[in-house]
Amino acid sequence: MKKDTFLLFALFAFMQLNAQSIVIGTGTASTAGSASDPVDGYFEAFRYQVVYTAAELKTSLTPYDQITALGFSVDEDYGGGNLIGYTIKMGHTTEVNSAIHNINATTIVKNPFAYNPTVTAAGSFDMITFDTPFIWNGTDNIIIDICSDGPNPFVSPYGGVRGTTIANGSRRYRQDGGTACDVPTATINGIKPNIKFNYTDGSPPACVAPTGLVANSVTSSSANLTWNAVSGSVNYQYVLNTTAANPGGAGTTITGTNFSATSLTQSTVYYFHLRNNCGASGFSTWSTISFTTPTSPPVNDTCSSATSLTVSNSFANGAKAGTILGATTTSGLTPSCQSSVGDDVWYSVIVPTTGSMTIEIQSGATNGMTDSVIAAYSGTCSGLTQVGCDDDSGTGNMSLLSIAGRVPGSTLYIAVWKFGTGTSTNDQFQIAAYDVNLATDSFNNDSFAYYPNPVKNVLNLSYSQNISDVRIYNLLGQEVMMKTINANRSQIDMTEFLRSTYVVKITSDNQVKTIRVIKE
């Protein structure tokens, strides 16, 4: 053995001999069987998260103490032997429980190894010694993130630990035929395991790291970061990026205890790294907080901003792509077919001359919705009256609503939402309004004219048949103008439009002509 390796081993052995311990939790609930826990062989791979609070740690630990081992009170063995690639990470967090997947920065304290759990008596723990101690800052809660990519054999018994029954006690992700260590946890467990930590006394570093990092007022494009002032600090350095690992170099100098982040990207996990500059004493270690920018609501998030549908003669001819990603919930809706309403988007449609039509939802091409609900309303957005509602009459669990006996030319508003909760997955869909009895003749291009193009002020339109309406969209697909015509000639005033290219859709007898117009 090399001399430096021997000294390091001897130092760590000395730390273990002088270790103290703390036990958190005395619950008698069991996760034995198929339930999720940090000793989990029910699936080939798993990831498990649990939070222990600063209040729990402070009963024994003091700031900068070094946690050198942990153990769970194992009450059921794993029949498959070793849990392969068992890895333990720890980090600081402001989360107080496991209600959401924890994205705070963590470090590996136990490198991947083959863990063969040992059953213990109540009040005893199967201890795992760390490869690298975890230094607690004395302020924050801690997140424990355990995983095994296996593949672990499906052999009974599957492992279990003792714990306390509590809401949002822990979280899990489990699967067969794949890995889990890099997949976010998705399911909440109702048990928080009893745990034992071994630790040694620590001492404050020469330069104390910042504490109390908080992300406030987070929007899709901005956030405000604050932290506690450190006595004797010269200034601070920060790095804002999308990487959990500590920065490899210097950051940007900042004074004060506040930073406003702007020009952020929606639906993105950001990491704000901060360290203290102590002058002659050098720099502290990095402190890190993470936050996620929300998704901007869709353009048709509300009834008043409904996207228009044109009634076609088939689903394929009238299908329009949609999403509920980032949508909010309209209050006051009480649809008759499904009481679960949330994260809804809106469409409007003009009833065709037949007075009848079908509104259908199908899954999107990517990240497709699998269970939709739709409701149709007459009236105005401030006074809606339901005329129809459907949950599962379409393909699979998708929606199909037949509407008849409506007044031609009247407007209906269509609310679309996903059954259940969560819009971050399976949020894409296609929607169409159609009536198979409508004429199938195509738009007669020979009798249609428009000029000038490019246009400075007024766009002139003419057609051999009645033009019912004209809609103008920008290149983002947002409707910027809708004008009811009901004549075979019209002038569209584009004077106030910004210089750009626009898509103009002219509807006549339920047929749509699309042109591109350049505004000078």
Side-chain angles (χ1 to χ4, degrees), residues 311-481:
V311 180
S312 182
N313 51 43
S314 69
F315 181 90
N317 288 337
K320 180 175 290 189
T323 180
I324 57 170
L325 185 62
T328 60
T329 301
T330 302
S331 61
L333 293 184
T334 57
S336 59
C337 64
Q338 179 53 252
S339 60
S340 174
V341 183
D343 305 327
D344 49 271
V345 292
W346 288 82
Y347 294 86
S348 64
V349 60
I350 297 175
V351 177
T353 55
T354 60
S356 303
M357 59 181 157
T358 298
I359 311 293
E360 183 175 358
I361 306 290
Q362 293 187 11
S363 183
T366 59
N367 200 24
M369 186 186 297
T370 57
D371 194 345
S372 65
V373 188
I374 56 175
Y377 299 88
S378 61
T380 63
C381 289
S382 59
L384 296 170
T385 301
Q386 180 183 298
V387 299
C389 183
D390 182 73
D391 189 354
D392 297 330
S393 296
T395 303
N397 292 320
M398 302 302 282
S399 308
L400 187 150
L401 176 63
S402 296
I403 297 173
R406 306 307 305 177
V407 177
S410 62
T411 300
L412 297 182
Y413 295 95
I414 313 297
V416 179
W417 67 96
K418 172 183 172 183
F419 177 78
T421 59
T423 63
S424 61
T425 58
N426 307 122
D427 58 271
Q428 308 289 319
F429 63 91
Q430 296 183 85
I431 183 172
Y434 60 93
D435 183 355
V436 295
N437 296 314
L438 288 177
T440 59
D441 294 337
S442 61
F443 201 97
N444 187 350
N445 293 320
D446 293 337
S447 61
F448 172 74
Y450 65 98
Y451 63 91
N453 190 17
V455 59
K456 288 185 178 181
N457 302 113
V458 175
L459 175 67
N460 297 280
L461 303 172
S462 65
Y463 190 43
S464 60
Q465 300 181 46
N466 184 72
I467 300 173
S468 57
D469 63 73
V470 174
R471 299 174 189 267
I472 302 180
Y473 302 83
N474 60 25
L475 293 182
L476 297 176
Q478 299 168 322
E479 185 180 290
V480 295
M481 173 185 280

Side-chain angles (χ1 to χ4, degrees), residues 12-343:
F12 202 75
F14 175 79
M15 292 171 63
Q16 291 301 303
L17 290 172
N18 290 274
Q20 305 169 73
S21 63
I22 175 178
V23 173
I24 298 175
T26 58
T28 59
S30 174
T31 64
S34 62
S36 172
D37 50 61
V39 182
D40 193 343
Y42 194 67
F43 284 76
E44 291 180 349
F46 76 91
R47 184 177 182 182
Y48 185 89
Q49 290 187 337
V50 59
V51 171
Y52 294 93
T53 66
E56 292 171 323
L57 297 167
K58 285 179 179 178
T59 59
S60 294
L61 275 71
T62 56
Y64 310 107
D65 283 349
Q66 300 185 50
I67 299 176
T68 59
L70 65 73
F72 298 100
S73 184
V74 180
D75 68 344
E76 181 177 86
D77 196 9
Y78 169 47
N82 292 326
L83 293 168
I84 303 169
Y86 196 87
T87 306
I88 305 175
K89 299 178 182 180
M90 293 181 65
H92 292 100
T93 181
T94 56
E95 301 294 338
V96 297
N97 55 37
S98 298
I100 61 173
H101 175 71
N102 198 297
I103 58 174
N104 288 108
T106 58
T107 57
I108 297 176
V109 295
K110 184 64 178 180
N111 294 313
F113 75 108
Y115 173 45
N116 192 343
T118 300
V119 174
T120 66
S124 297
F125 298 83
D126 186 24
M127 300 302 295
I128 301 172
T129 300
F130 294 166
D131 297 316
T132 304
F134 177 77
I135 301 176
W136 180 49
N137 63 16
T139 302
D140 293 325
N141 308 324
I142 60 172
I143 171 68
I144 297 175
D145 195 326
I146 296 174
C147 71
S148 168
D149 276 341
N152 301 310
F154 180 67
V155 180
S156 176
Y158 308 113
V161 301
R162 300 176 181 90
T164 300
T165 300
I166 185 173
N168 303 316
S170 55
R171 297 184 63 83
R172 72 175 187 268
Y173 174 80
R174 306 188 290 184
Q175 74 160 332
D176 290 328
T179 60
C181 288
D182 294 325
V183 181
T185 56
T187 304
I188 298 174
N189 304 316
I191 293 180
K192 180 177 179 178
N194 303 336
I195 195 169
K196 179 179 179 179
F197 293 112
N198 288 345
Y199 68 95
T200 59
D201 290 334
S203 57
C207 187
V208 176
T211 61
L213 275 67
V214 177
N216 298 300
S217 304
V218 179
T219 71
S220 60
S221 60
S222 64
N224 188 50
L225 291 308
T226 61
W227 56 93
N228 297 331
V230 180
S231 178
S233 174
V234 175
N235 51 45
Y236 306 92
Q237 287 188 353
Y238 76 87
V239 173
L240 179 65
N241 58 23
T242 56
T243 304
N246 287 334
T252 301
T253 299
I254 187 174
T255 58
T257 57
N258 178 82
F259 172 70
S260 295
T262 58
S263 301
L264 304 180
T265 302
Q266 65 177 357
S267 306
T268 302
V269 178
Y270 283 94
Y271 295 88
F272 181 72
H273 310 274
L274 185 72
R275 68 177 181 177
N276 183 21
N277 179 6
C278 296
S281 298
F283 292 94
S284 71
T285 57
W286 291 97
S287 298
T288 300
I289 189 174
S290 62
F291 61 93
T292 302
T293 52
T295 303
S296 298
V299 294
N300 58 337
D301 185 47
T302 63
C303 176
S304 59
S305 60
T307 296
S308 61
L309 299 175
T310 299
V311 180
S312 182
N313 51 43
S314 69
F315 181 90
N317 288 337
K320 180 175 290 189
T323 180
I324 57 170
L325 185 62
T328 60
T329 301
T330 302
S331 61
L333 293 184
T334 57
S336 59
C337 64
Q338 179 53 252
S339 60
S340 174
V341 183
D343 305 327

